[in-house]
Amino acid sequence: MIMLKDAGAVLLAAGALTFAAAPALALTVANQSDKAQEITVDRGADEPRTKIDAGKSANLECPGGCEVRVVGMGYGLPARDGDKIVVGKDLLLSYADQEQASSDEAAKSGAKKMAE
C-alpha cells in the first residue's frame, strides 16, 4: 500500500513538473511566399514586426487575440495563440487548416473528374 502511494506521488510530481515546463502557446505564422515577409501582430497599442524568411515559420505572441498582417497589404486576419496561419505565394493570409481543407476539396474534385 505504501509503495502504491509513493508511485502515485511520483506520478503527480512528474505531471506537475511537465505542466510547469510546458511552453506557452504561441501563434505560428508560416511564410510560403518566395520572399522574406515582414509580419505585424496588432495587439492594440503594441504592434511588433517580425521578418520571416521564405519557406520558414515563426512563433509569435498573441495573448488574448490579435490581428496578423503582412506589411504592405491592406488587410489582416484575426488570430489567437495556438492558431497556425499561412502567408501564401500571393501574400494572402489564411488559417493552415483552412488551406488544407481547400487542398483536400480540390483533390476530391480532381479525383471525381478522373472517375467520370
Side-chain angles (χ1 to χ4, degrees):
M1 183 75 163
I2 293 174
M3 209 167 144
L4 215 50
K5 261 187 176 176
D6 290 342
V10 169
L11 286 175
L12 183 61
L17 183 59
T18 301
F19 181 72
L25 284 177
L27 164 71
T28 302
V29 180
N31 179 8
Q32 293 181 351
S33 75
D34 298 332
K35 297 180 182 175
Q37 299 299 326
E38 201 168 18
I39 305 299
T40 64
V41 178
D42 185 351
R43 301 186 297 222
D46 187 25
E47 193 171 327
R49 290 182 176 211
T50 302
K51 182 179 175 185
I52 305 174
D53 291 328
K56 302 292 182 182
S57 296
N59 291 326
L60 308 172
E61 295 297 317
C62 182
C66 61
E67 186 167 283
V68 177
R69 295 188 193 104
V70 175
V71 173
M73 298 298 286
Y75 75 100
L77 190 67
R80 62 179 185 263
D81 280 344
D83 284 347
K84 292 179 173 75
I85 293 180
V86 174
V87 179
K89 292 192 180 292
D90 53 5
L91 302 185
L92 295 178
L93 296 169
S94 64
Y95 299 102
D97 56 352
Q98 178 182 12
E99 182 176 270
Q100 183 61 47
S102 295
S103 295
D104 291 347
E105 190 59 39
K108 285 179 190 174
S109 177
K112 190 175 185 180
K113 286 181 183 177
M114 289 182 71
E116 293 175 343

